[in-house]
Amino acid sequence: MRHASDVTAFSDFVEARSGSLFRTAYLMVGEHQLAQDLLQEALVKTLIAWPRLRDRDNVEAYTRRIIVTTSISWRRRRSFHERPSEALPERATPDPTEATVTHDAVVAALLTVPPRQRAAIVLRYYEDLTEAQTAEVMGCSVGTVKSQVFAGLTRLRGLLGHSFEEATQ
Amino acid sequence: MSQTLSDLLRHTADAVESPQVDVDALVHRAGRQQRRRRIVAAATSALLVGAVVTGAAALRADPGADPRPTPPLAPSPTAVDPNGRGPVSSSTRPLVYAEGSTIHAGDRTIPANDRVMFVDATDDGVVFMTDRDDRLWFDDGSVSEVIGTVHTPHVGSYDVWTSNPGSLVAWFARNPDWPRAELDVYDTSLHRVVAQVRDPDYFVLHLDDRFVYTNPDWSATPGCWVVDERPCPDPHLFRHDVASGVMEEITRDAYEAELLDNPRSFVIRAEVNEATRIPVFPLGARLHRHGDRLVVSGEHRLTLTSGDPVALRLTSPRADIVGFWAVQWLDDDRVVLAGHEEDEGGPSGIGQGDSYTASYVDLLVCTLSAGRCDEVVPLNPATPYVTPGRNTFPG
């Protein structure tokens, strides 16, 4: 039987952090319904692990890690969404000379980036994690994070042109 | 003026409306997932209960026998023990695993075209699923055919059971009204669905060549069940006769007695309590290497269904392979183990444990009568693998 106090604490955590976690999930999968599924999956896993999570300050980091790792494994299933295409859909491709890009273009560009590269970029540039923190979440070395970020940025740069600056932090 | 990538991502994410999260639904779902894991562990450990079977005993009379070559993929008859002690199967199965989109079944390969996510075997061939969709395939050695569509609530969740020995495959059919789904049972020797069970708001404990053993969802149905947060000595459980369609309640003793008829199983017994018959949740019961011997961790010991202790040695122990778990029984005397490099985080039981991922594995065939395990398939760590038992490598 799950303790009522655990459920209460979990409920408080969900209320406080689910919005932020959902946005991370959205950037990882690029689709509202899929992001919702991903968030729920991650929250269920978090709840199951709740009694073992002694450091409640790190619950959000734990959940975020699940979101990232689960989304990477989800990418193995085409039934959930299309595999990354080599080229952006025509309607989403921005003019490289334009200074701004649309929401759809960013999402479409992200989805063409391989999952681990995307995870590295989302964690570094959306979550503002350090390289070491990103490595911790992704379960890899800092060197791998650097290479994944570099490769992902290169691909995004090729797709989004000069829509964003190199220096981000 | 360009913006930073952080700003770009933030604007993109912030433009999406966050959904309301139903905590009660999450709590319910978490409960179901935990119970499912326990069910798998229970089914696993239930398979680990023993009885003497003449076939295995006879084989054990020749401890010097060399491991037999992997048999061809062909149906084998099931004999009846003249002493009336239940079926003694002479069926054999090839070692089955998937390497990316290629399935290996003994010496034969089956191109699946897409990455294989689930693979298992019956006496008649190979069943598998790929990452393309939720269709379940059966390959009898000549052709692959779709035999059903499996409800897969999330990646890695493949609720498919096979009988061993036998020809039955059972799965929860995809249904928009889940969890009020339908359990389909298919006979791979007849090439048709032989049973459909409606309203299966229960867990499948075990499938043999005649029956589906089930345990209702205890959270939805009052009572005392095999798998429960508070197990009781005499729980309710049900047996569905595939041939007649009759569902009847049976006792736990009867259930255990029927499980004991299958030699393709291990028993995990509590070291300190011989009376412990079925460890429902044998956590930490996987095998690990001690020198060149394989032993069970924790205060348990592993026995054959006869009650004889399992004594296995690695013929070529590798220092980096330290943990093992059973993934497939080839016949009454040979079991396939997946060896992995880390001795932590493995499945909770032996056999069809919970879905598990590891970074590196080798496949070994252990011959119980000879007490030896030989490495047969050194896997390439750069390639994704799937074995029966719902295991995928690397993670």
Side-chain angles (χ1 to χ4, degrees):
Chain A
M1 185 68 68
R2 216 174 292 285
H3 292 296
S5 59
D6 283 350
V7 174
T8 301
F10 175 75
S11 181
D12 291 343
F13 165 71
V14 170
E15 184 176 357
R17 304 309 307 159
S18 63
S20 171
L21 292 167
F22 172 79
R23 289 188 282 275
T24 300
Y26 180 78
L27 290 177
M28 286 302 302
V29 297
E31 185 184 313
H32 194 278
Q33 183 59 51
L34 200 59
Q36 195 168 340
D37 292 345
L38 178 57
L39 174 64
Q40 290 182 1
E41 182 82 19
L43 289 174
V44 165
K45 290 178 178 177
T46 300
L47 179 57
I48 291 173
W50 194 268
R52 305 195 307 270
L53 297 174
R54 295 172 184 164
D55 185 358
R56 294 295 158 79
D57 291 338
N58 284 332
V59 170
E60 184 174 355
Y62 178 85
T63 309
R64 186 177 295 116
R65 177 173 183 158
I66 294 174
I67 288 173
V68 170
T69 55
T70 303
S71 69
I72 290 172
S73 68
W74 276 16
R75 297 299 300 185
R76 297 171 182 160
R77 296 286 309 270
R78 273 198 301 252
S79 58
F80 285 88
H81 39 81
E82 297 294 328
R83 279 183 171 167
S85 60
E86 289 301 317
L88 279 169
E90 189 171 346
R91 63 177 177 78
T93 306
D95 181 342
T97 62
E98 290 182 359
T100 60
V101 290
T102 66
H103 171 101
D104 288 348
V106 174
V107 171
L110 274 175
L111 290 182
T112 67
V113 176
R116 293 187 67 81
Q117 294 176 20
R118 187 181 333 126
I121 286 175
V122 169
L123 292 172
R124 287 282 287 127
Y125 295 97
Y126 177 68
E127 298 289 349
D128 288 336
L129 301 187
T130 66
E131 288 176 336
Q133 289 169 329
T134 302
E136 169 66 21
V137 170
M138 293 181 64
C140 62
S141 67
V142 171
T144 299
V145 170
K146 290 176 185 289
S147 63
Q148 297 279 8
V149 167
F150 176 80
L153 283 178
T154 300
R155 188 168 182 89
L156 281 180
R157 175 67 67 199
L159 294 166
L160 297 174
H162 300 288
S163 305
F164 63 89
E165 298 171 352
E166 291 287 352
T168 57
Q169 295 184 78
Chain B
M1 174 67 76
S2 294
Q3 53 191 334
T4 66
L5 180 56
S6 293
D7 292 337
L8 198 59
L9 295 177
R10 200 154 286 122
H11 293 156
T12 301
D14 288 347
V16 182
E17 184 178 356
S18 301
Q20 289 293 318
V21 178
D22 185 342
V23 174
D24 290 339
L26 294 178
V27 171
H28 179 72
R29 188 171 155 189
R32 285 190 68 91
Q33 285 195 15
Q34 283 185 299
R35 290 194 297 279
R36 281 191 173 281
R37 289 180 182 178
R38 291 169 182 168
I39 287 289
V40 172
T44 298
S45 59
L47 298 176
L48 316 179
V49 186
V52 176
V53 176
T54 55
L59 289 167
R60 278 191 287 280
D62 181 15
D66 290 328
R68 286 164 285 177
T70 302
L73 187 67
S76 302
T78 297
V80 176
D81 184 344
N83 297 322
R85 301 185 61 185
V88 178
S89 176
S90 60
S91 71
T92 58
R93 295 178 177 184
L95 190 159
V96 171
Y97 66 97
E99 178 183 15
S101 62
T102 301
I103 296 169
H104 299 268
D107 295 332
R108 199 165 62 87
T109 59
I110 303 168
N113 299 321
D114 297 288
R115 180 178 167 182
V116 176
M117 303 298 288
F118 169 88
V119 68
D120 208 332
T122 70
D123 286 355
D124 314 296
V126 176
V127 289
F128 63 95
M129 296 176 67
T130 73
D131 68 349
R132 175 171 290 276
D133 50 38
D134 298 330
R135 289 180 295 175
L136 180 65
W137 295 78
F138 170 63
D139 187 287
D140 65 358
S142 59
V143 65
S144 295
E145 60 179 333
V146 175
I147 61 175
T149 304
V150 179
H151 174 75
T152 53
H154 56 85
V155 175
S157 173
Y158 301 103
D159 288 337
V160 181
W161 296 264
T162 58
S163 58
N164 187 359
S167 298
L168 299 184
V169 185
W171 65 89
F172 284 114
R174 189 172 184 176
N175 188 311
D177 297 328
W178 177 265
R180 318 305 282 187
E182 172 184 284
L183 182 72
D184 286 352
V185 184
Y186 186 93
D187 189 320
T188 54
S189 67
L190 302 175
H191 292 266
R192 64 179 175 84
V193 172
V194 291
Q196 290 180 311
V197 186
R198 304 284 181 184
D199 193 20
D201 192 10
Y202 51 62
F203 304 113
V204 173
L205 289 168
H206 179 54
L207 173 70
D208 63 23
D209 56 354
R210 288 185 59 195
F211 302 110
V212 183
Y213 300 90
T214 62
N215 182 109
D217 182 352
W218 59 264
S219 66
T221 313
C224 173
W225 310 105
V226 174
V227 178
D228 198 326
E229 287 189 339
R230 291 179 295 278
C232 63
D234 188 23
H236 300 294
L237 64 92
F238 293 88
R239 186 182 69 183
H240 180 89
D241 188 322
V242 172
S244 69
V246 173
M247 177 88 81
E248 62 179 338
E249 184 170 0
I250 62 173
T251 66
R252 181 167 182 155
D253 284 346
Y255 174 57
E256 291 179 9
E258 292 183 15
L259 292 171
L260 289 171
D261 268 347
N262 188 352
R264 301 182 185 189
S265 56
F266 289 127
V267 184
I268 299 175
R269 299 177 189 275
E271 193 72 69
V272 295
N273 182 6
E274 286 293 323
T276 302
R277 295 173 303 176
I278 295 184
V280 177
F281 308 116
L283 295 174
R286 68 187 183 279
L287 296 167
H288 62 264
R289 190 165 64 83
H290 184 76
D292 64 349
R293 292 186 301 119
L294 296 183
V295 296
V296 181
S297 59
E299 295 180 347
H300 297 84
R301 62 189 179 88
L302 191 68
T303 75
L304 302 173
T305 55
S306 63
D308 294 339
V310 172
L312 293 172
R313 288 183 180 277
L314 300 167
T315 55
S316 55
R318 292 176 45 166
D320 56 335
I321 304 293
V322 294
F324 303 84
W325 64 96
V327 296
Q328 185 190 9
W329 285 83
L330 302 181
D331 54 36
D332 293 354
D333 191 42
R334 293 180 304 153
V335 60
V336 180
L337 300 185
H340 62 112
E341 62 183 353
E342 296 174 355
D343 198 19
E344 295 181 355
S348 57
I350 293 176
Q352 288 205 331
D354 203 354
S355 148
Y356 177 62
T357 60
S359 56
Y360 182 78
V361 297
D362 275 355
L363 298 181
L364 306 92
V365 172
C366 297
T367 307
L368 300 172
S369 58
R372 58 184 288 174
C373 298
D374 301 282
E375 181 186 80
V376 293
V377 184
L379 302 183
N380 180 350
T383 306
Y385 288 90
V386 179
T387 72
R390 304 166 190 161
N391 301 297
T392 60
F393 322 96

